[in-house]
Amino acid sequence: MWLKVLGGILIVAGCGVWGLLEAKKIRRRLEQIKELRLALNFLEKDITLMYVPLSEALDNAGDFCDGGIGCFFRRGAASLREKSGITAGEAWRSGLAELKKHSALREPELRLLEGVAEQIGISEAGEQRKCLDLVSEQLKIIETRNYENMENNQKLWVYGGFVLGAVVVLLLI
Amino acid sequence: MTNESALKIRKEIVPYLPPALQSKINALDEGHYDALEEIRLRVNQPVALNMGKREVTLDDKGVLREDFKRGYIINKEDMKRTVASVSENSYYAYEEDIKRGFITLPGGHRVGLAGQVVWRGNEVGMMKNISSLCFRIAREKKGCAESLLPHIETEEGIMSALLVSPPRCGKTTILRDLARLLAGGAGDKKAKNVVIVDERSELAGCYGGVPQLDVGGHTDVLDACPKAAGMMMALRSLAPQIIVTDEIGRDEDAAAVQECLNAGVKVISSFHAASFEELKRRPATKRLLAAEAFQVGILLSRRNGPGTIQEIAGWD
């Protein structure tokens, strides 16, 4: 009997923690989108106002943010510095692979960044500005849209986790 | 022991070349590096290596060949990666250089570009679809102008001088060495304030504004600056004793030289011509010679290699 109770508690707690972690990811994702947006703005200024070479500009943008987002820019910069005949698009994609592993970002924003790989570094400053501004604007839209639903989504995951745990326990009984 | 040219080329040129070509150039016999002047890449054409008087190619195994049909063919991918490397994957940062048709690499080497030019208004708007690259290896020949120095730095003072030769006879190398000697104070001579107006970034080979080649300790460089405007800027703000500039040829250059001379500043420059007679026929130089702007004329050739002094004429 006690074993069943303990098992039930563990299932509810496990599902609850899973829900809490997912809820935390929602906030983390939005924080990272904001951080990414600011870093892209910084990158755009470095490129269009200071004409800083891309490897240095990516490094500067990387210094501006932490964790996964910083890794994205720094990885791209390091690939370019190797001078192994790599193109800017390839370096950008190598950073993106790193970002996928170390961030809470999801498909829509990752797809936007994938699109930048086709443009980054290969055109004049005005074109670079247009490209980075557009991505920044689109990220802002994703951020705003998700921010409005953030609390509801978080609650859904927190309560949903515990409820799911309880349902599983009831089914097992 | 690895010679200096080999080290320089492997470190400063090879990393920018297409990956498939890098190992081939690195594997060349060290003796070949001294003669290597240019590496030319053209899409769908064999790579060309200009080694003094002969032009050769490299085959797929990295062997030098006179027969270009056996050469390694540069494809579009090679060109794309090389352009990305030389422009540091930052077209925007090299926009102005690309419009002028070349990019300077660390070490002062110059990469000439050819492709589809987009004309905007009265000037080059951009260059796209780049299809040819010419890597020109910058070489310092320190001391190559020492024999000319007594004709320029005389007991009566500094003489304005004009170096005359067809292309690839060493005008730029000699001008750079003259600047170095004059600004460094050769022998017991006092160093002079020299300004180099380097429109094509060839004389000082500036990278990021800093001269990559030795131009002397008392030299200021106006990099990528049009010659006539640069001479006027130098005159107004840098108090030079000597202005050194390459390849004067336009009317405004001649007018600027005249202004400098009127202000008591000596000018050492160069001009594309095969002989002094040809020089006298060209409108820009004809006027300068008539006004006795230059006191010394130095004719160069490649008779015994680049920088052969063919004739020195006193024009005062």
Side-chain angles (χ1 to χ4, degrees), chain B residues 135-201:
Chain B
F135 286 77
R136 285 190 81 176
I137 294 150
R139 283 222 171 77
E140 290 177 285
K141 293 246 191 295
K142 287 188 188 175
C144 67
E146 267 169 15
S147 62
L148 292 176
L149 205 58
H151 299 279
I152 290 171
E153 194 170 17
T154 64
E155 305 245 314
E156 294 147 47
I158 302 289
M159 301 287 140
S160 288
L162 188 64
L163 273 66
V164 181
S165 85
R168 300 184 60 232
C169 287
K171 290 191 293 290
T172 306
T173 310
I174 290 182
L175 268 182
R176 182 188 307 126
D177 201 49
L178 274 174
R180 182 186 70 84
L181 292 167
L182 291 165
D188 55 349
K189 302 278 182 8
K190 205 175 156 223
K192 316 287 180 303
N193 279 331
V194 175
V195 172
I196 293 181
V197 183
D198 199 3
E199 185 166 346
R200 303 189 306 160
S201 305

Side-chain angles (χ1 to χ4, degrees), chain B residues 30 42 97 102 141 199 222 224 235 239 267 271 281 298:
Chain B
E30 297 207 343
R42 301 176 178 103
D97 303 63
F102 64 85
K141 293 246 191 295
E199 185 166 346
L222 285 166
L235 215 52
V267 176
F271 193 82
R281 289 198 297 270
I298 299 156

